[in-house]
Amino acid sequence: MKIMVTEQQLRVLNKFLITEGNIDFTKPYIVVTPAKLGETYVRIKGFITFSVASSEMATNAVTAAINTILADLKNKGYSTKGLSFLNIYGGASNYLNGAMKADRIMPNVEGFFSSFKVAENNLPSYPGELNKTKNLGYAQARCQVLKDALIKNFPPTTTAEIKEPTSFVMDTGGVIDSKRDLKKYPVPGQMAMFAATVDIQPITTITTYNEIGSNNIQTGSYYCNGKNSLGGGAQDNTYVEQCRNGIGLKITDGKLMSGFEIKWAANMVGNPHVIPIMRWNIFWKESTSSVNGGKETKIYIPFKVTRVMYKNEWSSMAKIPEGTTTINDPSLKYFMGLKENDPNGGTAWKKFLAPPYGVIK
């Protein structure tokens, strides 16, 4: 279907999409459910609003959604194999040259699939009913634009189940999107939503640590003042030996990091709890003192780093060996910078393991 609109209509349609009260419907709402131990797929659901009055508007909206998905999958460390399931719904408001009967209503965007239900119309008249076929054409166009983009970026597997898209008229109170009652009709009609399954390389088959994404891991750190990164007291094995100055003297400087730890996130390896994987122990000693204006200042430097693996069945999955290493250990830098997508350690490594130590740079 080719849809013709004037420039004035285009400006009006675009305005409808960016004036939706407190809900920012100009951005895609995407949820990627992380894979658990041994799972070969991730579940993705998404909700986006866009006009099909111009191909540019539709393309920009769908491209933003696809980029959000790709960034999330990369952030989680997944290598995708293809689309194995796809179901798409596309909507239009129940107004076009007058109010018309609605097929569906969605009172809650956060739970968009679970709150999607049959609409019960009580409109006094339906002057726009003759335009329903045309309005459903708009809805179907939204489905097609989204379907084409998903299939292009995630080519279906040979056994994929790709359902035919479903178009419907959304209950917006018998008015255009921008004039609807946001409390009663929080979701605009000009929308498309989807549920998909994308096959991935499962966590159990990773070959190197840098296939692990930030959503798979939690991190923590320890310091020579006996505190952890949450400000609580640390166990002795996380700082006592590391802060003995190499000759038995106790160092209590809270700016010196004595340990950095990685853990599997909850439910990531088939266990509902956070599971520790490895800790990097960082040992400090006094170096030559500096003299500034006649005042002597002690300087501490890291002189040894060890990797210690926790003894559980899930630790070895991270593919990092135990043993002695250095503060320039690539795996240490990778996990310290993971949340910032910086394999060189991010701001944490620069602050705590590059001189001057413990100072933001």
Side-chain angles (χ1 to χ4, degrees), residues 148-168:
D148 291 346
L150 287 168
I151 288 177
K152 179 181 178 180
N153 285 274
F154 304 98
T157 64
T158 55
T159 58
E161 180 185 2
I162 310 297
K163 291 183 174 292
E164 285 299 315
T166 301
S167 57
F168 59 90

Side-chain angles (χ1 to χ4, degrees), residues 11-12 18 27-28 68 86 102 131 142-143 157 161 186 203-204 222-223 254 265-266 278 280 294 339 342:
R11 286 193 293 271
V12 172
I18 61 176
K27 298 179 181 179
T68 300
L86 179 62
N131 293 297
R142 290 186 183 90
C143 291
T157 64
E161 180 185 2
I203 291 176
T204 49
Y222 306 94
Y223 303 90
M278 174 169 284
W280 283 260
K339 295 294 184 183
D342 181 0

Side-chain angles (χ1 to χ4, degrees), residues 309-327:
M309 185 179 294
Y310 282 90
K311 307 304 178 185
N312 61 63
E313 59 184 302
W314 300 283
S315 291
S316 61
M317 289 170 54
K319 307 298 182 183
I320 311 171
E322 290 187 291
T324 301
T325 182
T326 71
I327 57 172

Side-chain angles (χ1 to χ4, degrees), residues 134 136 223 227 267 325 353:
K134 186 176 182 179
L136 285 171
Y223 303 90
K227 301 291 185 179
N267 295 312
T325 182
L353 298 181

Side-chain angles (χ1 to χ4, degrees), residues 57-350:
M57 290 171 66
T59 299
N60 289 344
V62 174
T63 298
I66 295 296
N67 288 341
T68 300
I69 296 169
L70 292 172
D72 201 324
L73 292 173
K74 180 181 179 180
N75 189 45
K76 289 177 169 61
Y78 295 136
S79 176
T80 61
K81 295 183 176 180
L83 192 68
S84 55
F85 174 82
L86 179 62
N87 195 10
I88 295 178
Y89 292 82
S93 65
N94 64 325
Y95 183 95
L96 185 60
N97 298 320
M100 66 181 65
K101 292 180 181 179
D103 305 314
R104 297 287 188 270
I105 187 170
M106 192 183 303
N108 178 14
V109 68
E110 293 291 333
F112 45 89
F113 274 101
S114 60
S115 71
F116 188 54
K117 59 184 182 180
V118 175
E120 297 179 0
N121 294 109
N122 293 302
L123 296 175
S125 61
Y126 305 98
E129 195 70 13
L130 293 175
N131 293 297
K132 188 165 185 177
T133 300
K134 186 176 182 179
N135 217 17
L136 285 171
Y138 289 124
Q140 187 63 32
R142 290 186 183 90
C143 291
Q144 195 61 51
V145 170
L146 181 57
K147 178 182 177 181
D148 291 346
L150 287 168
I151 288 177
K152 179 181 178 180
N153 285 274
F154 304 98
T157 64
T158 55
T159 58
E161 180 185 2
I162 310 297
K163 291 183 174 292
E164 285 299 315
T166 301
S167 57
F168 59 90
V169 172
M170 177 79 83
D171 192 352
T172 56
V175 298
I176 56 179
D177 282 344
S178 62
K179 292 184 177 180
R180 72 191 191 280
D181 182 339
L182 292 177
K183 292 183 179 179
K184 190 174 182 180
Y185 308 102
V187 181
Q190 298 180 82
M191 54 78 74
M193 63 182 185
F194 71 94
T197 300
V198 174
D199 288 355
I200 60 163
Q201 175 180 305
I203 291 176
T204 49
T205 62
I206 64 172
T207 57
T208 63
Y209 63 83
N210 54 15
E211 293 176 3
I212 299 172
S214 62
N215 224 54
N216 307 141
I217 293 292
Q218 288 188 8
T219 63
S221 49
Y222 306 94
Y223 303 90
C224 284
N225 62 353
K227 301 291 185 179
N228 59 32
S229 51
L230 297 177
Q235 296 183 6
D236 287 356
N237 63 353
T238 64
Y239 73 98
V240 173
E241 290 299 322
Q242 295 90 321
C243 304
R244 285 195 183 279
N245 199 18
I247 55 174
L249 298 177
K250 188 175 182 181
I251 302 172
T252 60
D253 191 341
K255 295 180 181 180
L256 303 182
M257 180 182 288
S258 59
F260 179 81
E261 189 168 277
I262 59 173
K263 309 169 186 179
W264 290 116
N267 295 312
M268 190 52 57
V269 289
N271 191 300
H273 304 291
V274 172
I275 305 298
I277 301 172
M278 174 169 284
R279 184 175 70 246
W280 283 260
N281 291 315
I282 304 158
F283 296 83
W284 297 85
K285 69 177 181 179
E286 185 178 343
S287 182
T288 55
S289 299
S290 65
V291 178
N292 186 9
K295 184 178 180 180
E296 195 172 68
T297 303
K298 291 182 178 179
I299 296 177
Y300 298 103
I301 61 171
F303 71 95
K304 182 173 71 171
V305 179
T306 62
R307 291 188 294 239
V308 178
M309 185 179 294
Y310 282 90
K311 307 304 178 185
N312 61 63
E313 59 184 302
W314 300 283
S315 291
S316 61
M317 289 170 54
K319 307 298 182 183
I320 311 171
E322 290 187 291
T324 301
T325 182
T326 71
I327 57 172
N328 292 305
D329 180 351
S331 61
L332 173 61
K333 285 187 171 183
Y334 176 80
F335 287 107
M336 290 189 81
L338 189 55
K339 295 294 184 183
E340 300 171 76
N341 196 29
D342 181 0
N344 291 313
T347 55
W349 188 90
K350 294 180 180 69

